[in-house]
Amino acid sequence: MQDENTLRDVAKDCVHCGFCLPACPTYQLWAEEMDSPRGRIYLVNQILDGAELTDSAAEHFDRCLGCMACMTACPSGVQYDQLIEAARAWTEEARSGSGVAGPVVADPGVTGPVVADVRGADGAVDPVPDVPRGVPAGKRPVRDRAARAAIFSLFPYPRRLRALTAPLRTVQRTGLDRRLAGSALPGRVSPTLGAALRLAPPAATWRKLPERVPARGTRRAVVGMLTGCVQSVFFPQVNASTARVLAAEGCDVIIPPGQGCCGALSLHSGREAEAAAFARRTIAMFEQAGVDAIVVNSAGCGSAMKEYERLLGGTGGSGAEAGWAARAAEMSGKVRDVAEFLADLGPVARRHPLPVTAAYHDACHLAHAQGITKQPRELLRAIPGLNLVEVPDAGTCCGSAGVYNLLQPEAARELGGRKAEAVLAAGAPLLISANPGCSLQIASALAERGEHVAVAHTAEVLDASLRGLPLSVLGIS
């Protein structure tokens, strides 16, 4: 996290012009000043000036999706991402009841020297960030803390998540999941449980990817590929498609075994020490891979990995912190979203026709946080027969936002409903997304309306075209 002086300087860039208001999803929902970026910056300034972090202020920080649409809209270039990350770290420390989480626990079955690199070079664990405030906010309700503990004990760990797929498949086969999701009982037990049942995708068949996928034809690059946590368990076909597309375009694809979470889920939820531990582990793993670029097919993961240097201490810390910051900067410089990388590399593999009209959904952490909007559209428009159309109000968040749709289910459900209506208005039988959370959120919102629109990742669509596959592989009958 940035120091207080840096945060003050960033906050001063806000001139309170209000351009962020119509771009902010939570301001759209509630028309509440303190649920806008401008209002939250005002709260950050107050806390930096010594005001206490109240329960009310903490709630306004929790309600932010972190979609960064305000940064796209802001004429002054305010780096709101730095401010909300700091505010969430303060809130998590104050309200978790036990401080920010400590060092990450390795996923069961992970082996090799990477695990030893979770801590700093001097063996120290990330300190809990200092909170520049007076009396701390009260603890979150027990049910809320229990939900957060469950989420962060499960989702960042692929092996634990995979262990749930067998019972999930059984529940889905019997239709019990649909009956439970349609009743009020899960929501009364826990709003998070109710949201999880609505969002759960069909259990996928997991297949282990090889550690190396050789380039087809002349080798043009050697790339590492992040498999992720949620992506690897619920969308393994996206990872397989990504590897095939990269290989078809002349890349040797290195897939380090035993990968886990990159830290995005923790970083975007204020669990800074936990995020830093995941980041160190990811850095060490890909350093050993020795690749030209690190390709990421999840927008939230790519956004977080490009911020590793800031997460791991910048350049003004101790020798150990500076060492990690330098390693983080080197790695972040190699991170590329798959569409970003392929557009820069240029196509060589033959595209076969895909006669379909498709709408492209801008994932917030790709469009707003990374500024990547043109590249995926260029790649998709280069597919013969594919007619690409736009989703109305494309820049507004669908409500997924990492684990926001589990922790703030009512707001997320309303935003998901709005996005579903926009997708239906586009009139396309196929929706293309670049983030697993967005795919789950939008598919769930469409299902609630009794509508079916096939949802696929950009890499899956490219893979189908390169291999000359029928539209049925994308879920289109």
Side-chain angles (χ1 to χ4, degrees):
M1 186 172 68
Q2 302 285 29
D3 60 44
E4 287 185 39
N5 289 333
T6 300
L7 293 173
R8 290 178 193 276
D9 288 341
V10 172
K12 285 178 183 176
D13 289 337
C14 177
V15 297
H16 306 285
C17 65
F19 276 86
C20 61
L21 300 183
C24 176
T26 53
Y27 187 81
Q28 289 179 23
L29 289 180
W30 305 308
E32 165 62 51
E33 175 70 17
M34 292 306 163
D35 282 316
S36 74
R38 183 173 68 179
R40 293 183 180 109
I41 291 172
Y42 177 79
L43 292 175
V44 167
N45 271 321
Q46 283 192 320
I47 294 167
L48 289 171
D49 288 340
E52 66 181 58
L53 174 58
T54 63
D55 284 339
S56 177
E59 183 67 21
H60 292 306
F61 294 143
D62 279 344
R63 286 178 173 180
C64 177
L65 291 111
C67 69
M68 307 309 161
C70 55
M71 292 176 61
T72 300
C74 180
S76 301
V78 176
Q79 298 300 299
Y80 177 79
D81 56 341
Q82 299 183 32
L83 300 175
I84 194 60
E85 283 176 15
R88 282 188 162 147
W90 302 337
T91 300
E92 184 65 16
E93 181 200 356
R95 304 199 75 191
S96 65
S98 58
V100 176
V104 64
V105 178
D107 204 12
V110 173
T111 59
V114 173
V115 176
D117 276 317
V118 167
R119 295 168 180 252
D122 57 356
V125 178
D126 283 310
V128 173
D130 292 329
V131 181
R133 47 147 172 76
V135 180
K139 295 180 183 178
R140 290 191 177 96
V142 173
R143 191 166 64 174
D144 189 8
R145 280 184 280 141
R148 290 170 184 268
I151 288 169
F152 290 101
S153 295
L154 177 63
F155 281 88
Y157 302 96
R159 284 176 63 92
R160 300 177 193 177
L161 208 51
R162 277 197 296 273
L164 288 183
T165 58
L168 175 62
R169 190 178 289 112
T170 300
V171 169
Q172 290 173 338
R173 190 164 51 242
T174 61
L176 180 59
D177 62 322
R178 293 188 298 274
R179 290 195 293 274
L180 286 173
S183 75
L185 178 61
R188 285 200 296 266
V189 174
S190 167
T192 296
L193 176 61
L197 285 172
R198 289 195 304 273
L199 292 163
T205 301
W206 179 73
R207 293 183 178 86
K208 184 177 181 180
L209 292 171
E211 295 182 24
R212 179 178 177 273
V213 179
R216 292 172 54 187
T218 302
R219 186 174 69 186
R220 305 168 71 197
V222 179
V223 303
M225 192 181 94
L226 182 81
T227 54
C229 43
V230 173
Q231 189 85 295
S232 67
V233 176
F234 290 129
F235 297 97
Q237 73 279 5
V238 173
N239 283 337
S241 291
T242 301
R244 284 193 295 263
V245 170
L246 290 167
E249 295 292 7
C251 300
D252 274 355
V253 185
I254 309 301
I255 307 172
Q259 292 186 49
C261 184
C262 67
L265 292 177
S266 302
L267 176 63
H268 298 150
S269 298
R271 300 166 70 92
E272 191 176 65
E274 187 175 76
F278 280 125
R280 289 197 184 101
R281 186 174 178 276
T282 304
I283 290 168
M285 180 173 286
F286 279 101
E287 283 176 340
Q288 295 172 26
V291 295
D292 304 323
I294 300 164
V295 175
V296 183
N297 58 21
S298 170
C301 298
S303 172
M305 292 170 72
K306 289 179 178 181
E307 298 173 11
Y308 273 175
E309 182 181 6
R310 189 169 78 229
L311 173 64
L312 295 183
T315 57
S318 67
E321 289 171 337
W324 272 111
R327 293 169 70 179
E330 183 176 358
M331 177 176 171
S332 293
K334 293 182 177 181
V335 174
R336 296 289 185 274
D337 178 77
V338 61
E340 177 186 24
F341 178 80
L342 289 171
D344 288 343
L345 186 67
V348 293
R350 179 189 172 194
R351 270 71 171 156
H352 296 87
L354 282 180
V356 65
T357 295
Y360 178 76
H361 164 68
D362 280 299
C364 293
H365 275 93
L366 193 62
H368 300 307
Q370 298 183 61
I372 297 172
T373 57
K374 180 178 68 172
Q375 297 94 320
R377 287 173 168 84
E378 289 178 346
L379 292 170
L380 293 168
R381 288 191 177 112
I383 297 174
L386 190 147
N387 175 35
L388 194 66
V389 298
E390 296 296 329
V391 176
D393 198 19
T396 299
C397 185
C398 67
S400 172
V403 294
Y404 185 92
N405 51 4
L406 298 178
L407 297 174
Q408 302 282 339
E410 291 183 9
R413 198 170 187 176
E414 185 168 350
L415 290 169
R418 293 183 180 192
K419 183 61 69 171
E421 295 298 333
V423 170
L424 293 172
L430 174 64
L431 179 71
I432 303 173
S433 171
N435 194 61
C438 298
S439 297
L440 291 174
Q441 174 78 353
I442 298 172
S444 173
L446 288 166
E448 283 190 356
R449 283 154 178 73
E451 301 283 354
H452 173 74
V453 175
V455 181
H457 192 281
T458 309
E460 292 180 282
V461 178
L462 291 170
D463 185 36
S465 174
L466 291 175
R467 297 165 68 197
L469 300 178
L471 292 173
S472 58
V473 303
L474 301 176
I476 302 172
S477 56

